[in-house]
Amino acid sequence: MDPQIDSPVIGHPSSDIYLPHPALITSMCSLTALDMLFEIHVPSPEVHTPSPGQFVEVSLPGIGEAPISVCSFSNHPHQFQILVRRIGNVTQALHQLQIGKSIGIRGPFGTTFPVDRELRKQNILFIAGGLGLAPLRSAIQYVLHRRWDYGKLIILYGSRTPDEQLFLEDLHDWKSRKDLTYLETVDRGGPNWKGRVGVITTLFSLLNLEDDPWSAIICGPPVMYSFVLRELRQRQIPNELIYVSLERRMKCGVGMCGHCQINGLYVCQDGPVFRYKDLIHLQEAL
Amino acid sequence: MSVKQISTNMLRGWIDGLLLQKTVIGPVQHQGHFRFESITSSDQLALDYDVTDLPPKKFLLPPREVMMTFRSSGEFQSVMEFHPFVLFGVHPYDMIAINQMDRVFSEKLVDIHYLTRRNACSIVALDPVAVAPHNFSGCMGTATVEKGWDLLLTPLPQDGYLLEIGTEKGNTLLHSIYELPDASLDQLQLREQRWNQNQKSMRRHELKCAPDDLPDLLEQNYDHPLWQEKSSQCLSCGACNIVCPTCYCFDIQDEVDWSLETGVRCRAWDGCLLRDFAEVAGGHNFRKQSAERYRHRFYRKASYLPKRFGEIACVGCGRCISACIPNISNPVEVYNQLVGE
Ligand SMILES: Cc1cc2nc3c(=O)[nH]c(=O)nc-3n(C[C@H](O)[C@H](O)[C@H](O)COP(=O)(O)OP(=O)(O)OC[C@H]3O[C@@H](n4cnc5c(N)ncnc54)[C@H](O)[C@@H]3O)c2cc1C
Ligand code: SF4
Ligand code: SF4
Ligand code: FES
């Protein structure tokens, strides 16, 4: 029998995987009517610096928990950003907080975009739909921090409407940079929108990917994946060089509660970042 | 390993002695049904029960348990329950389910809430003498159990029991009785016979393949029409999850006190057959069709969990068969239908 079960352990709180660590909201900034960017400070030494692609469970006493991607990368330990869309109980309550309020944080959990491993020296194509830009932003920031370590970079970003575009400051920066290609589109334009209108896959016709090998990172709403993957297939990007970040309902974040399963995988532990090759035979994945 | 003999009278006396110091939970009869519950006297125990409505998991993973308390200002504090108790009369299939749960909650990461309660629990397993109407543990290799228990009771054909001591914890439970006589060779043989007989008789449904073949069988039949056919009658009631000794999926919920100042974060049983199990905010449901949810349960039991833990997560207790109103949840029927072609 398992040794941990043989001898009585009276639980020490620090060993409670469900117990949130106290954290502080150090800044809040409304990005759209529904999306708020939070800067979070977690003093506990037990919470290590999130890697690009990971998420945290954000806890509000009396309301509950929600898994939220870390959307920034910095070497500053204990400090990171999250972007929260107001859509239900926890997210609504988070929007109503103020700077200086404390919240609970568990994690960071999950797998990471391999920016410090397989993706080094590679040409990377980032494809973000809507809120999917949040997790991708952590990888983009990481890559731009050490720009010399990567090949060509392309960022494709699709939003439903111009008003729903996130991280306008970053978008401006990316647009103006010479060391990457940034292309954006919206599903529905508006009177002041001068840019492209159309779903994200329309951006592919503007790209020439045939001459170099590319890796791709995708995150977006569930409907987006199959269309984007079809484009990538047509351009001969191999499945083992495609990474996706997936969303599922979550409760525990630690592979116990069963909610986030994709067939036999737990998105909270085996994901949220998956290599497409590892999902291709899983019927529930995409 | 040491195996003793104990008369029925002596056993009853010993349990009544235990009751002076500890909570004892065992099978009790209520209008033809059996339930694990806290007893006050050994007379209440129905040691010849066939199966209980709910498995004993409810004492290790309660339907609702407080995991932590919080103040609205933001401090959380873990709550761990350590009240020693004896789980008495656990049948082999249920014991194996508990062994599986022990691994789930300790192998990769430690769930301190489960483990604290588990450590407070001593288990006296019991080889059954009656076969429940839908039990098929004989086919699953779970009609007898070698480990997990602190003590194992096996009824002898005439009177009395053999009592095997499995752990030091089990030994401590016996402190109050004088030295018990060792089992004789004949008696050990009778015990062997009981095990053989149980393995043969606990097959109310006959599985047409070996349990080890189930993961491959499922692998080949993901798109089989059976999932749609059977589940077309499914009520999405989740009863098959609730009664299953190997189901452990849960929800986490906050409850606030009247004062609005303090509250508790609880864990509560959940079930993958329920409609909203995989639904996210905004309304997208990753397992929207009842066929998808229905299929998921069988895959989890006989493919996903076995791939992680190396054991089929169905112990053949048959409870889901009795609990399902439209009578579609019999695992053996499902697997045999897949084998049959
Ligand atoms: C890995 C991952 C990363 C995410 N990153 C972000 C992000 O960066 N920004 C953001 O705004 N949202 C993100 N989400 C979605 C976010 O978790 C949900 O919007 C949020 O849980 C809704 O909670 P709620 O209490 O407001 O809604 P309610 O409808 O009240 O939900 C109740 C509970 O159900 C569960 N739940 C509901 N929807 C989801 C969901 N989509 N995913 C997982 N669990 C859910 C949660 O436990 C939630 O607390 C992410 C989800 C996952 C799985
Ligand atoms: S699936 Fe049914 S028979 Fe198998 S362990 Fe669960 S309740 Fe018992
Ligand atoms: S008990 Fe039967 S009807 Fe209820 S959810 Fe399970 S399979 Fe469906
Ligand atoms: S969120 Fe609980 S298992 Fe993944």
Side-chain angles (χ1 to χ4, degrees):
Chain A
M1 197 195 240
D2 196 297
Q4 274 147 343
I5 295 163
D6 262 353
S7 57
V9 275
I10 310 288
H12 187 270
S14 76
S15 55
D16 186 352
I17 52 178
Y18 303 104
L19 189 71
H21 296 275
L24 218 61
I25 299 176
T26 53
S27 93
M28 281 171 79
C29 175
S30 170
L31 297 191
T32 75
L34 288 178
D35 302 292
M36 182 87 77
L37 182 65
F38 295 77
E39 182 105 24
I40 307 290
H41 177 74
V42 194
S44 167
E46 281 171 52
V47 175
H48 50 86
T49 313
S51 299
Q54 288 194 298
F55 68 95
V56 290
E57 282 282 350
V58 179
S59 229
L60 288 180
I63 320 271
E65 290 188 299
I68 305 286
S69 307
V70 173
C71 69
S72 63
F73 177 78
S74 80
N75 285 316
H76 194 308
H78 314 308
Q79 189 91 13
F80 55 84
Q81 293 179 329
I82 54 174
L83 178 89
V84 179
R85 175 158 296 177
R86 177 159 55 83
I87 191 165
N89 294 327
V90 176
T91 49
Q92 165 83 30
L94 274 167
H95 275 237
Q96 287 163 352
L97 294 178
Q98 295 93 37
I99 296 171
K101 288 282 180 199
S102 71
I103 58 173
I105 291 286
R106 289 194 295 130
F109 295 128
T111 52
T112 67
F113 298 115
V115 280
D116 57 343
R117 305 186 302 274
E118 293 96 311
L119 287 174
R120 285 182 58 204
K121 311 291 180 205
Q122 305 302 308
N123 303 316
I124 310 174
L125 172 59
F126 294 93
I127 305 159
L131 200 50
L133 186 58
L136 284 209
R137 183 174 174 258
S138 63
I140 295 171
Q141 286 193 348
Y142 183 98
V143 166
L144 293 181
H145 264 285
R146 349 170 87 240
R147 180 67 189 85
W148 39 269
D149 211 9
Y150 301 89
K152 296 182 196 167
L153 301 180
I154 300 176
I155 302 171
L156 307 183
Y157 178 37
S159 321
R160 274 195 300 199
T161 64
D163 291 344
E164 289 176 49
Q165 282 201 319
L166 300 166
F167 305 113
L168 290 179
E169 279 179 33
D170 298 71
L171 305 188
H172 276 298
D173 174 44
W174 299 342
K175 254 177 241 172
S176 64
R177 285 181 81 125
K178 297 278 181 294
D179 59 352
L180 62 81
T181 306
Y182 169 73
L183 297 172
E184 63 181 21
T185 180
V186 296
D187 294 353
R188 276 173 280 119
N192 300 322
W193 178 253
K194 306 260 177 338
R196 285 179 204 87
V197 177
V199 293
I200 192 160
T201 42
T202 57
L203 296 176
F204 277 88
S205 61
L206 307 169
L207 301 175
N208 175 17
L209 301 172
E210 275 74 20
D211 299 340
D212 302 297
W214 285 86
S215 297
I217 298 184
I218 317 170
C219 188
V223 291
M224 195 187 87
Y225 291 92
S226 57
F227 295 106
V228 168
L229 286 165
R230 189 186 304 155
E231 296 290 334
L232 297 180
R233 210 171 302 132
Q234 280 168 12
R235 283 161 181 79
Q236 262 94 56
I237 298 186
N239 296 337
E240 54 270 25
L241 296 184
I242 300 174
Y243 301 89
V244 297
S245 171
L246 297 184
E247 183 188 351
R248 285 296 182 276
R249 187 188 179 99
M250 289 188 181
K251 281 294 166 183
C252 69
V254 289
M256 302 283 190
C257 77
H259 277 277
C260 68
Q261 264 187 291
I262 293 180
N263 298 106
L265 297 179
Y266 296 105
V267 175
C268 65
Q269 295 270 296
D270 306 317
V273 178
F274 296 95
R275 201 189 284 265
Y276 177 49
K277 183 180 71 109
D278 300 331
L279 295 179
I280 207 157
H281 59 285
L282 296 183
Q283 299 86 340
E284 285 187 338
L286 294 166
Chain B
M1 177 182 92
S2 100
V3 187
K4 308 285 182 187
Q5 33 176 308
I6 185 166
S7 69
T8 306
N9 271 340
M10 191 100 154
L11 183 75
R12 301 251 172 216
W14 167 56
I15 296 168
D16 288 325
L18 278 179
L19 274 167
L20 300 176
Q21 315 148 28
K22 277 186 198 234
T23 302
V24 176
I25 286 154
V28 175
Q29 184 164 12
H30 292 275
Q31 293 160 348
H33 288 253
F34 299 99
R35 275 211 292 263
F36 275 102
E37 62 184 36
S38 178
I39 58 164
T40 50
S41 150
S42 64
D43 296 340
Q44 290 167 278
L45 285 178
L47 290 181
D48 56 352
Y49 81 102
D50 55 0
V51 70
T52 53
D53 288 352
L54 282 182
K57 82 168 174 194
K58 63 181 173 175
F59 297 99
L60 298 169
L61 186 72
R64 182 184 162 283
E65 91 184 86
V66 173
M67 302 176 99
M68 60 194 82
T69 58
F70 56 75
R71 306 189 62 79
S72 54
S73 51
E75 303 94 79
F76 289 86
Q77 205 163 19
S78 297
V79 174
M80 250 74 71
E81 232 177 70
F82 190 84
H83 302 304
F85 67 102
V86 180
L87 205 45
F88 204 99
V90 175
H91 282 171
Y93 50 85
D94 276 337
M95 185 69 243
I96 289 168
I98 292 173
N99 292 344
Q100 291 185 3
M101 203 126 78
D102 288 349
R103 291 182 64 190
V104 165
F105 287 121
S106 70
E107 206 160 83
K108 267 191 105 179
L109 287 166
V110 171
D111 186 311
I112 203 72
H113 304 277
Y114 175 86
L115 276 197
T116 305
R117 204 176 283 102
R118 178 68 179 87
N119 280 319
C121 168
S122 309
I123 298 185
V124 183
L126 171 72
D127 283 311
V129 286
V131 186
H134 291 297
N135 192 299
F136 57 95
S137 58
C139 312
M140 303 305 291
T142 52
T144 54
V145 59
E146 285 165 13
K147 59 175 186 167
W149 38 266
D150 301 294
L151 296 169
L152 171 67
L153 278 173
T154 311
L156 289 171
Q158 261 78 49
D159 177 65
Y161 295 81
L162 290 192
L163 179 64
E164 179 167 347
I165 302 166
T167 64
E168 194 41 47
K169 215 167 167 184
N171 212 8
T172 338
L173 285 184
L174 293 172
H175 272 350
S176 63
I177 20 183
Y178 291 117
E179 193 80 346
L180 290 169
D182 282 336
S184 69
L185 278 178
D186 282 353
Q187 286 173 323
L188 286 176
Q189 218 152 29
L190 288 171
R191 189 170 77 146
E192 247 357 281
Q193 278 169 17
R194 160 61 55 201
W195 289 343
N196 287 335
Q197 189 191 329
N198 282 358
Q199 279 156 4
K200 285 200 197 91
S201 65
M202 301 189 72
R203 290 169 181 263
R204 296 296 178 117
H205 304 276
E206 194 65 51
L207 185 65
K208 287 200 223 156
C209 66
D212 289 347
D213 298 338
L214 290 173
D216 281 344
L217 180 71
L218 287 179
E219 193 104 333
Q220 293 151 20
N221 286 293
Y222 197 80
D223 295 315
H224 197 283
L226 161 147
W227 307 119
Q228 196 69 51
E229 281 160 24
K230 288 238 174 207
S231 67
S232 64
Q233 295 173 63
C234 177
L235 310 170
S236 298
C237 66
C240 48
N241 293 134
I242 297 274
V243 300
C244 178
T246 68
C247 272
Y248 61 83
C249 287
F250 57 85
D251 189 14
I252 299 177
Q253 299 158 356
D254 282 13
E255 289 168 22
V256 185
D257 289 344
W258 295 110
S259 66
L260 303 180
E261 286 286 305
T262 57
V264 291
R265 180 162 290 174
C266 299
R267 149 153 74 196
W269 287 357
D270 209 338
C272 60
L273 267 291
L274 299 172
R275 270 188 195 89
D276 64 355
F277 188 78
E279 188 176 289
V280 294
H284 189 85
N285 192 333
F286 287 96
R287 250 176 253 114
K288 191 174 181 172
Q289 309 296 327
S290 71
E292 297 169 305
R293 298 191 295 275
Y294 177 84
R295 176 175 58 194
H296 182 73
R297 185 172 79 98
F298 293 100
Y299 274 72
R300 194 164 149 95
K301 304 270 176 232
S303 168
Y304 306 152
L305 288 176
K307 278 183 195 146
R308 270 176 200 264
F309 296 103
E311 285 172 83
I312 304 292
C314 168
V315 294
C317 69
R319 288 184 179 97
C320 59
I321 307 173
S322 314
C324 179
I325 292 166
N327 193 20
I328 52 169
S329 81
N330 184 339
V332 180
E333 259 175 35
V334 167
Y335 300 138
N336 283 353
Q337 201 172 325
L338 296 180
V339 172
E341 294 159 24

